[in-house]
Amino acid sequence: MKSTSIVAGNLVMLALLAPPAGAVEVFLNGVQITGARDQVIDKAKVVLDKNGNVHISAPDYKVREVGATSTTPTPPPAAPATSADLHNKYFVVTEIPRPRATGYQVQVMVNNKFLRTLGDDVTQYVLELNNYLKEGTNTVSFRALRPAGKAAQSTQASDYFSVVLGEGKVSADGTLTIDNVLGEFKVTAIDRGEKAQTFTITAR
């Protein structure tokens, strides 16, 4: 049976994954942890998407699957937070018309440091980058790959996984508006193998 290990500093917490059918899905730093129990996650940002799924962003934590075998390369350590005081807000926003259709995951890297893995399980995921950018020139890279044993559930190019990088703002009611698209990375259900692209942006 597979279990999930959530690591914060030297503290390791284990919980069996046994989600009931039709349950709301829970993600920690882009990794699904639905069914994890007896966990306390401090200093976290929680976002509920339009499907009711819960997205928890907690830079001090990482997730490991115990007992699962995979040939997917392990990403490098997460990018450290920066102290840059930027005037603009920078975001990565996913768009997935049909969740799980492509079978892809997309790794996000900022200035060659791994930040997060975004799955294709939800129609939209929003990731703010300001804590990881420095003032001036930065690189934001996307790497799409299918985990071992996972295949596309569609044969249509119209089923895609799009990742938009842009400047934007969040209104008082929580609505995000992207004012300036700085780049778009896209893979489809008919793509094969790994895909990658890097964008150079100037953070202000």
Side-chain angles (χ1 to χ4, degrees):
M1 181 177 292
K2 184 171 66 175
S3 64
T4 297
S5 171
I6 301 176
V7 183
N10 295 321
L11 177 62
V12 178
M13 300 170 285
L14 298 176
L16 292 179
L17 284 178
V24 168
E25 295 183 341
V26 182
F27 299 84
L28 173 60
N29 296 336
V31 180
Q32 188 178 36
I33 61 167
T34 305
R37 300 177 182 178
D38 297 326
Q39 311 291 341
V40 177
I41 301 175
D42 297 317
K43 299 179 181 178
K45 177 180 179 181
V46 179
V47 176
L48 303 179
D49 66 25
K50 64 182 180 181
N51 295 318
N53 297 314
V54 180
H55 298 268
I56 304 170
S57 177
D60 294 337
Y61 292 78
K62 61 182 178 179
V63 181
R64 285 201 301 262
E65 287 187 356
V66 180
T69 301
S70 172
T71 59
T72 302
T74 301
T82 67
S83 58
D85 185 15
L86 302 176
H87 177 265
N88 296 331
K89 294 284 189 181
Y90 298 87
F91 298 90
V92 165
V93 182
T94 66
E95 180 184 358
I96 304 171
R98 284 213 308 145
R100 303 181 181 86
T102 68
Y104 272 106
Q105 292 181 346
V106 174
Q107 295 179 352
V108 182
M109 284 152 281
V110 176
N111 296 323
N112 297 317
K113 296 291 186 180
F114 172 76
L115 179 57
R116 194 149 304 163
T117 298
L118 307 177
D120 69 342
D121 303 284
V122 295
T123 56
Q124 187 174 80
Y125 185 86
V126 177
L127 174 63
E128 184 178 338
L129 299 182
N130 280 51
N131 286 341
Y132 307 97
L133 297 172
K134 64 180 186 292
E135 188 173 2
T137 302
N138 295 263
T139 60
V140 180
S141 304
F142 303 109
R143 178 191 180 206
L145 65 161
R146 288 191 177 101
K150 189 172 183 179
Q153 297 184 16
S154 168
T155 57
Q156 304 296 320
S158 57
D159 285 316
Y160 61 86
F161 187 151
S162 173
V163 185
V164 172
L165 168 65
E167 294 179 0
K169 56 181 178 292
V170 179
S171 64
D173 64 0
T175 301
L176 170 63
T177 301
I178 298 296
D179 301 311
N180 183 21
V181 175
L182 303 174
E184 182 179 9
F185 176 71
K186 187 175 183 180
V187 288
T188 72
I190 64 173
D191 284 330
R192 297 291 180 267
E194 293 186 13
K195 308 289 181 181
Q197 190 171 3
T198 297
F199 299 92
T200 300
I201 66 172
T202 301
R204 299 168 291 176

